Amino acid sequence: MKLTIDTTAQTVERDGALLPLYSREAFELLSDLWVKVGWNEKYSYTFTWFGRPVIQLPEDMIRMQEVIWQLKPDLIIETGVAHGGSLIFYASLLKAIGNGGRVIGIDIEVRPHNRAAIEQHPLGGAIELVIGSSIAPETVETVRQRLGDAKTVLVILDSNHYRDHVRAELEAYCGFVSPGSYIVATDGLMQSLADVPRGQAGWETDNAVEAVRGFLAGRSDFVLERPGFHFNESALDHTRMPTHWPDAWVKRIA
């Protein structure tokens, strides 16, 4: 793709096609490129939440906050822990909501200094850690036993993002999702990162988006439904906003 931005003429030219610079179409085009460059430069590795590194695009975090406020889940399950920033983020939202909600974090390994930081954090009491492969039957069973009396459950998949692993997670955890809630397969952005310096050629097909498509094929109890704007004074399309999570929001409808 050849892209020419002319701020004087206020145009964006893409492969010979001319767009107004200040338009929804230009916003979508430039946002896609900005997200790719930002991912390559590790932009999402520059943020913390309540003192813990949170490796997420802030756009995705704010959208997730909107969903959590609407759902007010009793339980949030996340695969993938890393530094624990996302767990702290979810726990802080549930604390603010005040419904006594809990967070379960699952990972094959949580390094001792990260575990200590999570457990000693002021919000650590709302977080439970489960150590093991997220798709191992014994891990899934452990999580099942910890569901308790939770009525509204949100699941977020943020561990290994390759197609087969995410598909296995979708199958393993979809039954925990309450009707009207979501299982979110994050970081499907990798499908468009095959051509960037830090990307891998195989990501074009080996990614979370492909896992979601395979999971939804032939099903009637889940649909792909990105949450809409809860506040909007723009002409922007909610399905074309900057994100690391394209085609991630899988909603249980039955």
Side-chain angles (χ1 to χ4, degrees), residues 55-74:
I55 306 171
Q56 302 289 356
L57 191 69
E59 168 85 18
D60 292 324
M61 293 179 65
I62 295 298
R63 298 302 176 193
M64 176 62 78
Q65 169 272 146
E66 291 178 339
V67 169
I68 290 173
W69 174 253
Q70 293 294 318
L71 289 176
K72 296 179 173 55
D74 307 292

Side-chain angles (χ1 to χ4, degrees), residues 153-209:
V153 180
L154 172 68
V155 178
I156 302 155
L157 308 178
D158 193 16
S159 60
N160 179 328
H161 299 294
Y162 290 101
R163 179 187 58 236
D164 291 347
H165 185 88
V166 176
R167 175 67 184 274
E169 285 186 325
L170 286 162
E171 299 289 355
Y173 293 92
C174 68
F176 300 157
V177 179
S178 51
S181 186
Y182 297 87
I183 182 166
V184 187
T186 70
D187 287 338
L189 174 72
M190 58 195 290
Q191 69 175 339
S192 64
L193 298 174
D195 61 342
V196 307
R198 291 181 52 238
Q200 297 180 23
W203 289 358
E204 192 170 358
T205 56
D206 194 0
N207 58 67
V209 170

